[in-house]
Amino acid sequence: MLEIKNLQVRAGTKDILRGISLSVGAGEVHAIMGPNGSGKSTLARVLAGHAEYEVVGGSVSYNGKDLLEMAPEDRAREGVFMAFQYPVEIPGVNNSYFLKAAVNAKRKHQGLPELDAMEFMVLLREKANILHLDPTLLSRPVNEGFSGGEKKRNEIFQMAVLEPRLAVLDETDSGLDIDALKTVAEGVNAMRSPERAIIVVTHYQRLLNYIIPDFVHVLQDGRIVRSGGKDLALHLEEKGYSGIEAAQPQLM
Amino acid sequence: MSQVVERERPASPQLAHYTAEYQRAVGQTPAQPRWVLQAREHAIAQFERLGFPTSRLEQWRFTSVAPIADRTFNLATDGVAKLDKTLALPMSDDPALAVLVNGRFNAQLSSLAGLPTGVKVLGLEDVLASNPGLVEPYLARLTPTQTNAFTSLNTAFLRDGVVISIAPHVVLEQPIEVVFAAVAEGTASVSHPRLLIVAGESSQATILERYVGTGSAFTNAVGEIWLGANATIDHYKLQEEPAESFHIASMLLHSARSGTFSSHSLTFGGGLVRNEVVAVLDGEGIDCTLNGLYLGRGRQLIDNHTTIDHAMPHCGSHEVYKGILADHSRAVFNGKIIVRPDAQKTDAKQTNKALLLSDDANINTKPELEIFANDVKCTHGAAVGQLDEDAMFYLRSRGLGVAESRAMLIRAFAGDILNRVKIAPVREHLGNILTDHLPHVD
Ligand SMILES: Nc1ncnc2c1ncn2[C@@H]1O[C@H](COP(=O)(O)OP(=O)(O)O)[C@@H](O)[C@H]1O
Ligand SMILES: [Mg+2]
């Protein structure tokens, strides 16, 4: 589904990603772990199409298409979703109004009829229930004044509503207490399916107790320095990121 | 005509042109009461003395009226023959409708049947001919306090307009809509529409002024609003004249105790626009709200100058002006708040925000606080910014297109002003303007 080859990314004069290769197939869950500043968010944001970054080398193909050539909205309509590490507050834009526009932009792209207000409300209620999302958040401006946990939950809620084919979750676990973490993990697990790929970006191993990945990659200094199965996360938990450094980089 | 006129500088041919037009207009006007003629004479003298303002004057520093001063505008005739009648259709549902064409009241295009007892909406020329006593205590009584050349010019050419008179205790449900249509004649023509609103004690009304037109017309409007004790007026001014037109307007408010006045100044049209609002809060317990929303495109210049004069204690004023500026448009905002020595317990709040959609757009914004009382609350804030890039990316990353995302953020910016517009068709119309008529990515 997603084929990243030797991706090199720069912001301003700083080289952030220095040759990343990663292959993600439908139905798989990949975890990308790494210390602060290693480039995890950069990778997620580049996949979503953020304009701040300059791709100086490599390629990303998504279902056979050149992802890097696509505008952010086209990526989203084709099924790419990124849960932001820091969701943006948008005063004055109503949360459910915004989501309805997003759902219908995607449906239009797929040649499906737009949902009317009633159909959309039914969909929203169903998904909000799954995520134990306080329904009053739906009528508030997007993320404005939400607590850290509410923002993260709102991201996963959006994912549930938009039903992406490729979801990239950027540190959705950070700042969550254990109950919120479990709810979010349940929400993500409910989304696992043979047609969908999920990339979980995290700093801590903790989340991976609840979302069991098929593959784990360690990102350090803009490179994937190690890849393995779910046990790699436990290994990291014991040894820390510094214990990895000596290991042989494993290119995929 | 005054014989002795002190001039600060030699009369330009343009000023002489207006003097000659004045003489001609006075000769052609049907008989007017003596007090009106005197006010006009006083006004033309004042205009001659002031001349058109230059950018050397602080109040005009950022707004050059050279495009007006350097042109020769002839006094427009009634223009009805050339009027696109669809312009004169009302926007609100089932309003009392008064239509002026080039400043002249037009009874045929108006629709004023069925007004409740105690509410009069009349042509000013008719009133001056048949019942001048109705307006004598009010008409041109607020303008002399203004040393504004354009206001003087309007008074000098005072002939017609609309008078709205609401008797005490009358509560009017339907809005009164006044359409000011400016039809350009020849290469350039000017009209001086006049509006007088007298709201009696404890009366209540909603008034919508709409400015529309065709061609390169110059509208030089003056409105005087007298708010009686405990009266409530919800006032809207929607300006959608063509981009090649000129629009200079003053709205002068005088409120007695416990009046509630809300103004919504909505500017979308006009090439060179200056809106002046002067609100004199001349009684205790007055509540004055000035909301403004303007959208500049192309090379428009939109200048809003407001003055709120807290003359008495325990009054509140709330002012929020928001501008959206695209292309090469410019805006000026100047918000003056005067708190006189007696005006203790004043609560005044002013906010001005501008959203610049292009690198070539700009705004000069300035609060001006003159506070002479000590027990008052006065706050002001200004913010100028661009569309939030992070918010744009967030919306787009969820599948919304660039145009849709921009429109959503722009609507959100204007949201609090739009939500306070109580006339539903006007609110919808504004929403449509912001959604459909915005220029695309610069
Ligand atoms: N827009 C940017 N401009 C300059 N440097 C950036 C930018 N974005 C990220 N960086 C830098 O790139 C490095 C990786 O950042 P990031 O991808 O956010 O790491 P992580 O998510 O792994 O903590 C950091 O050193 C960060 O300061
Ligand atoms: Mg990060």
Side-chain angles (χ1 to χ4, degrees):
Chain A
M1 177 180 289
L2 183 73
E3 202 69 52
I4 304 175
K5 286 201 182 120
N6 193 26
L7 182 65
Q8 296 154 53
V9 171
R10 180 182 290 171
T13 57
K14 187 178 161 68
D15 291 313
I16 305 176
L17 300 184
R18 305 195 284 177
I20 289 199
S21 296
L22 181 66
S23 174
V24 178
E28 298 174 359
V29 174
H30 289 241
I32 295 181
M33 303 184 68
N36 274 337
S38 56
K40 303 183 299 293
S41 290
T42 302
L43 178 61
R45 285 153 69 90
V46 166
L47 293 177
H50 200 287
E52 209 165 63
Y53 302 97
E54 185 192 354
V55 175
V56 289
S59 65
V60 180
S61 104
Y62 169 70
N63 290 328
K65 290 183 186 157
D66 182 352
L67 188 72
L68 301 176
E69 279 299 303
M70 294 161 71
E73 58 272 29
D74 292 327
R75 299 180 195 202
R77 292 168 191 171
E78 293 270 327
V80 177
F81 178 91
M82 177 186 64
F84 284 57
Q85 182 176 0
Y86 301 108
V88 181
E89 299 196 3
I90 312 183
V93 174
N94 176 278
N95 213 5
S96 57
Y97 171 77
F98 148 67
L99 252 174
K100 181 160 180 261
V103 166
N104 282 333
K106 188 167 174 181
R107 291 180 67 91
K108 205 170 153 194
H109 180 77
Q110 294 169 328
L112 296 170
E114 298 193 1
L115 295 185
D116 65 25
M118 273 308 290
E119 294 166 324
F120 182 69
M121 277 319 293
V122 170
L123 175 70
L124 274 200
R125 290 232 182 83
E126 176 200 322
K127 304 291 183 179
N129 268 339
I130 295 175
L131 282 156
H132 309 294
L133 189 84
D134 175 359
T136 61
L137 296 182
L138 295 174
S139 52
R140 282 179 34 193
V142 180
N143 292 322
E144 193 188 31
F146 287 23
S147 71
E150 286 170 341
K151 283 182 184 167
K152 297 297 175 97
R153 223 179 277 205
N154 192 33
E155 293 293 289
I156 299 305
F157 169 68
Q158 290 179 22
M159 173 178 82
V161 171
L162 291 168
E163 302 185 329
R165 299 178 68 187
L166 171 66
V168 184
L169 314 182
D170 189 2
E171 293 215 27
T172 300
D173 54 327
S174 57
L176 293 186
D177 64 28
I178 193 70
D179 291 336
L181 183 78
K182 282 183 187 166
T183 315
V184 163
E186 269 168 40
V188 174
N189 286 329
M191 297 284 293
R192 290 179 85 145
S193 95
E195 291 85 47
R196 181 171 293 130
I198 301 175
I199 299 176
V200 180
V201 172
T202 182
H203 183 83
Y204 305 103
Q205 185 271 338
R206 189 178 66 152
L207 177 68
L208 305 182
N209 293 334
Y210 302 96
I211 303 174
I212 312 289
D214 301 306
F215 302 95
V216 174
H217 312 275
V218 180
L219 188 64
Q220 220 157 19
D221 211 8
R223 288 194 180 91
I224 291 181
V225 294
R226 188 88 181 255
S227 293
K230 62 179 193 289
D231 297 340
L232 180 55
L234 297 169
H235 178 73
L236 274 177
E237 173 87 336
E238 272 171 42
K239 301 270 166 71
Y241 289 113
S242 52
I244 283 288
E245 227 151 3
Q248 197 70 333
Q250 205 183 317
L251 294 176
M252 295 190 66
Chain B
M1 163 94 233
S2 317
Q3 294 306 303
V4 188
V5 176
E6 269 186 281
R7 288 202 173 86
E8 285 159 10
R9 57 206 164 102
S12 69
Q14 279 74 22
L15 294 193
H17 166 74
Y18 286 99
T19 307
E21 285 277 273
Y22 167 77
Q23 302 285 12
R24 196 167 63 83
V26 167
Q28 288 172 358
T29 316
Q32 287 183 323
R34 223 189 122 59
W35 59 270
V36 174
L37 290 168
Q38 275 168 354
R40 294 181 61 179
E41 204 168 296
H42 174 81
I44 193 68
Q46 176 153 291
F47 172 73
E48 286 171 340
R49 184 164 44 78
L50 295 169
F52 284 112
T54 70
S55 49
R56 281 192 300 273
L57 291 173
E58 184 58 30
Q59 294 306 306
W60 295 88
R61 224 172 103 200
F62 301 108
T63 300
S64 165
V65 298
I68 292 174
D70 293 348
R71 260 171 116 134
T72 305
F73 290 93
N74 293 315
L75 191 59
T77 61
D78 70 8
V80 177
K82 286 203 333 201
L83 174 72
D84 169 3
K85 301 286 189 294
T86 60
L87 287 177
L89 296 174
M91 179 174 286
S92 39
D93 294 327
D94 193 29
L97 177 71
V99 176
L100 283 95
V101 183
N102 286 348
R104 305 293 304 279
F105 175 71
N106 188 297
Q108 280 75 44
L109 295 170
S110 303
S111 149
L112 296 165
L115 281 169
T117 329
V119 180
K120 296 191 180 87
V121 180
L122 305 163
L124 176 59
E125 189 175 89
D126 300 338
V127 172
L128 290 179
S130 61
N131 185 13
L134 181 71
V135 296
E136 186 171 356
Y138 307 106
L139 184 67
R141 302 293 176 203
L142 293 175
T143 42
T145 57
Q146 280 263 295
T147 47
N148 177 323
F150 291 100
T151 310
S152 303
L153 198 59
N154 176 292
T155 301
F157 285 90
L158 196 155
R159 172 172 178 177
D160 202 357
V162 164
V163 178
I164 299 173
S165 163
I166 303 159
H169 305 287
V170 172
V171 175
L172 195 58
E173 299 290 346
Q174 61 180 149
I176 298 175
E177 181 168 335
V178 186
V179 174
F180 298 83
V183 182
E185 295 167 333
T187 50
S189 60
V190 57
S191 61
H192 304 278
R194 190 90 181 190
L195 177 66
L196 175 66
I197 300 170
V198 181
E201 183 184 337
S202 298
S203 66
Q204 197 173 320
T206 300
I207 293 165
L208 167 63
E209 294 182 37
R210 285 179 54 221
Y211 291 83
V212 295
T214 47
S216 184
F218 169 23
T219 300
N220 182 38
V222 172
E224 291 171 288
I225 303 178
W226 292 83
L227 202 60
N230 208 37
T232 299
I233 292 278
D234 197 22
H235 179 271
Y236 299 82
K237 175 183 173 180
L238 175 57
Q239 203 270 97
E240 296 184 281
E241 291 170 339
E244 62 269 32
S245 68
F246 305 88
H247 184 95
I248 308 273
S250 290
M251 180 173 82
L252 312 171
L253 167 80
H254 181 275
S255 177
R257 73 188 315 277
S258 303
T260 302
F261 181 70
S262 311
S263 150
H264 312 255
S265 168
L266 311 162
T267 300
F268 298 93
L272 169 54
V273 179
R274 164 90 160 201
N275 292 314
E276 213 149 303
V277 176
V278 180
V280 178
L281 312 188
D282 196 13
E284 294 193 16
I286 295 164
D287 190 81
C288 175
T289 300
L290 302 183
N291 290 327
L293 179 65
Y294 51 93
L295 169 63
R297 287 162 288 190
R299 300 198 165 269
Q300 276 180 285
L301 167 57
I302 299 169
D303 177 338
N304 283 294
H305 264 66
T306 65
T307 301
I308 301 174
D309 187 346
H310 284 266
M312 300 288 272
H314 293 286
C315 293
S317 65
H318 333 272
E319 178 170 22
V320 181
Y321 268 68
K322 289 194 171 180
I324 300 158
L325 299 171
D327 308 329
H328 285 77
S329 65
R330 288 205 300 123
V332 178
F333 175 82
N334 188 291
K336 186 174 188 167
I337 296 173
I338 306 170
V339 181
R340 308 246 173 220
D342 285 344
Q344 300 296 1
K345 304 286 179 193
T346 288
D347 187 353
K349 191 168 193 296
Q350 180 191 95
T351 310
N352 172 241
K353 288 190 177 162
L355 184 58
L356 305 182
L357 297 180
S358 125
D359 292 341
D360 301 313
N362 71 59
I363 178 164
N364 292 99
T365 173
K366 187 175 143 203
E368 226 184 310
L369 306 184
E370 295 178 8
I371 300 173
F372 303 102
N374 46 31
D375 186 12
V376 302
K377 234 166 53 194
C378 262
T379 62
H380 67 87
V384 179
Q386 278 136 5
L387 277 184
D388 181 350
E389 285 299 326
D390 290 335
M392 275 299 286
F393 178 62
Y394 192 80
L395 296 177
R396 292 179 69 192
S397 79
R398 299 299 182 244
L400 276 65
V402 173
E404 195 179 358
S405 302
R406 280 164 61 94
M408 211 176 256
L409 294 180
I410 290 165
R411 271 195 75 144
F413 173 78
D416 53 345
I417 305 285
L418 294 190
N419 292 339
R420 286 180 209 150
V421 172
K422 295 198 196 89
I423 307 175
V426 173
R427 194 172 56 241
E428 280 155 28
H429 179 68
L430 299 179
N432 290 340
I433 294 176
L434 293 186
T435 308
D436 304 336
H437 299 290
L438 283 174
H440 287 282
V441 196
D442 26 279

